[in-house]
């Protein structure tokens, strides 16, 4: 990289306005909904902040004709992380065009002062990483990193070496997000050895790994399964078992783990239902939003909301999404509730162990076992904000959908 290019890139980075979740909510809406506003962040923020800030990561094919305009439009609607896909979404004969368009889009976005999402390129192989850097000019400043598909023990060394070399060339952090979806990982006989090897590889490059992504669609393909829209991924037992083991190896709270993001929800249109909707009526009645519940059910978003809740319960945060309508659901459920925030503050204020009643008088807070949870909750509070007391996810989601 020439000295002139380095200067232009530094100027581009300096001019760019930081991102912030929920910036589409302005004035009274934000003041009513949030006890603590989300904080702005950019690519130079702490890695834990960036990993938590991924939220709903929207995929877009690199071959899309209006790629730059699409990314700008999605950013204006609250998307804070996107993946430009060169892999599954691109036909073999269109790969070269997709690469050219990716470079052009990143260069165009780097010249804009307004915030763009964290942008990642899902490459087909490790060799594509240096190839893209060879072609990029100032656009490297619009690039947050790369997504590595079919990441396993055999492909890991080459992917991670390419990532390290890319960061050195760019002279700024570039992050990797491996996608765990290979058959060797899914098969019971080879899973433990695969995960142990992957964990060791990722540990050597810890500062370059932003998050570990789960590719449940490819996992299902191993068994010829396609999850029905009436079910969450946790109802598909063979895949739920894999997810549990991924969290066990790679999601530990002892300093060795990584942020793990949830798999994609594939559905976004009305259909004839076999089972009852997964959303209780009471929260919508309390917010005078019963018609809004009907809208969510009609768009299959009740299943998505259920799966996001189960993601969080299983140690997973953020989610891969393929449709813009899913973004608001992921982000509304990422906001820290006032009760969670109160509990987290109480837990972290105590240096010793012990047990105390929650300030909400409805549970016990155990100071040592809940400490890691409290720390992660306060990181999420910085990125997604804290809801005002009495504000529910229904209020947040309806505000995002109608803005």
């Amino acid at each position: 990289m020439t000295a002139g290019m380095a200067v232009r890139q530094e100027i581009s980075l300096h001019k760019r306005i930081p991102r912030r979740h929920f910036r589409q909510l302005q004035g009274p809406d934000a003041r009513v909904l949030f006890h603590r506003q989300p904080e702005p962040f950019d690519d130079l923020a702490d890695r834990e902040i960036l990993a938590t800030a991924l939220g709903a990561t929207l995929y877009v094919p690199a071959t899309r004709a209006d790629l730059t305009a699409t990314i700008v439009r999605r950013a204006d609607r609250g998307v804070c992380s996107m993946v430009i896909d060169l892999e599954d979404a691109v036909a073999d004969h269109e790969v070269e065009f997709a690469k050219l368009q990716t470079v052009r889009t990143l260069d165009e976005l780097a010249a804009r002062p307004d915030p763009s999402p964290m942008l990642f390129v899902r490459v087909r192989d490790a060799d594509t990483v240096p190839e893209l850097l060879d072609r990029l000019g100032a656009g490297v400043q619009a690039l947050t990193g790369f997504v590595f598909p079919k990441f396993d023990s055999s492909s890991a060394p080459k992917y991670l070496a390419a990532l390290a070399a890319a960061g050195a060339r760019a002279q700024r952090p570039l992050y990797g997000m491996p996608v765990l979806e290979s058959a060797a990982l899914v098969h019971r006989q080879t899973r433990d050895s695969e995960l142990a090897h992957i964990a060791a590889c990722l540990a050597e490059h810890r500062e370059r790994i932003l998050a570990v992504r789960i590719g449940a669609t490819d996992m299902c393909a191993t068994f010829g399964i396609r999850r029905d829209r009436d079910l969450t991924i946790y109802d598909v037992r063979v895949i739920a078992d894999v997810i549990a083991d991924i969290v066990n190896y790679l999601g530990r709270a002892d300093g060795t783990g990584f942020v793990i993001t949830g798999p994609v929800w594939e559905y976004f249109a009305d259909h004839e239902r076999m089972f009852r909707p997964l959303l209780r009526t009471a929260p919508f009645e309390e917010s005078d939003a019963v018609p809004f519940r009907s809208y969510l059910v009609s768009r299959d978003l009740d299943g998505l909301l259920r799966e996001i809740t189960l993601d969080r319960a299983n140690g997973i945060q953020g989610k891969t999404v393929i449709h813009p309508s899913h973004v608001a659901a992921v982000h509304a459920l990422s906001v820290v509730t006032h009760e969670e925030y109160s509990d987290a503050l109480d837990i972290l204020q105590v240096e010793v162990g012990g047990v105390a009643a929650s300030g909400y008088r409805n549970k016990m807070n155990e100071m040592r076992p809940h400490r890691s949870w409290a720390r992660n909750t306060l990181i999420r509070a910085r990125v997604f904000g804290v809801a005002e007391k009495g504000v529910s996810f229904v209020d947040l989601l309806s505000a995002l959908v109608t803005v």
Side-chain angles (χ1 to χ4, degrees), residues 16 60-72 82 84 97-112 116 119 121 136 138-140 142-143:
R16 181 158 303 154
V60 59
T63 50
R64 183 160 180 153
D66 59 343
L67 186 57
T68 300
T70 295
I71 292 172
V72 170
M82 291 185 71
I84 301 173
F97 168 71
K99 292 177 182 177
L100 291 171
Q101 177 139 288
T102 297
V103 170
R104 181 169 58 249
T105 291
L106 290 170
D107 285 340
E108 290 172 354
L109 291 170
R112 298 175 58 92
S116 62
L119 291 174
V121 178
L136 278 171
V140 73
L143 178 66

Side-chain angles (χ1 to χ4, degrees), residues 95-160:
V95 170
E96 183 56 30
F97 168 71
K99 292 177 182 177
L100 291 171
Q101 177 139 288
T102 297
V103 170
R104 181 169 58 249
T105 291
L106 290 170
D107 285 340
E108 290 172 354
L109 291 170
R112 298 175 58 92
D114 50 319
S116 62
M118 287 184 277
L119 291 174
F120 302 85
V121 178
R122 180 159 80 160
V123 295
R124 289 191 163 207
D125 51 49
D127 293 334
T128 306
V129 173
E131 181 185 349
L132 290 175
L133 286 186
D134 287 342
R135 300 183 183 191
L136 278 171
V140 73
Q141 291 300 327
L143 178 66
T144 306
F146 300 92
V147 173
F148 300 136
K150 315 294 189 293
F151 190 91
D152 58 20
S153 58
S154 60
S155 63
K158 194 169 183 179
Y159 272 136
L160 295 173

Side-chain angles (χ1 to χ4, degrees), residues 336-357:
V336 174
T337 67
H338 190 275
E339 181 174 342
E340 289 175 322
Y341 186 61
S342 173
D343 286 343
L345 289 178
D346 288 347
I347 290 165
L348 292 178
Q349 282 176 355
V350 179
E351 294 295 333
V352 295
V355 178

Side-chain angles (χ1 to χ4, degrees), residues 239-254:
I239 308 305
D241 288 348
V242 182
I243 293 173
D245 285 342
I246 289 173
V247 174
N248 197 319
Y249 273 86
L250 300 175
R252 300 177 186 182
D254 59 0

Side-chain angles (χ1 to χ4, degrees), residues 9 142 159 167 209 227 240 266 278 294 312 315 325:
Q9 291 176 355
Y159 272 136
I209 303 302
R227 171 180 34 140
E266 298 176 333
L278 298 173
S294 299
R312 181 75 49 75
S325 65

Side-chain angles (χ1 to χ4, degrees), residues 25-70:
L25 295 179
Q26 300 292 330
D29 284 341
R31 289 194 294 271
V32 168
L33 292 172
F34 287 98
H35 172 76
R36 174 176 172 174
Q37 295 283 334
E39 297 178 11
F41 62 95
D42 59 27
D43 281 355
L44 300 182
D46 181 82
R47 182 171 60 94
E48 283 187 302
I49 293 293
L50 288 179
T52 303
L54 287 166
T57 302
L58 180 64
Y59 275 55
V60 59
T63 50
R64 183 160 180 153
D66 59 343
L67 186 57
T68 300
T70 295

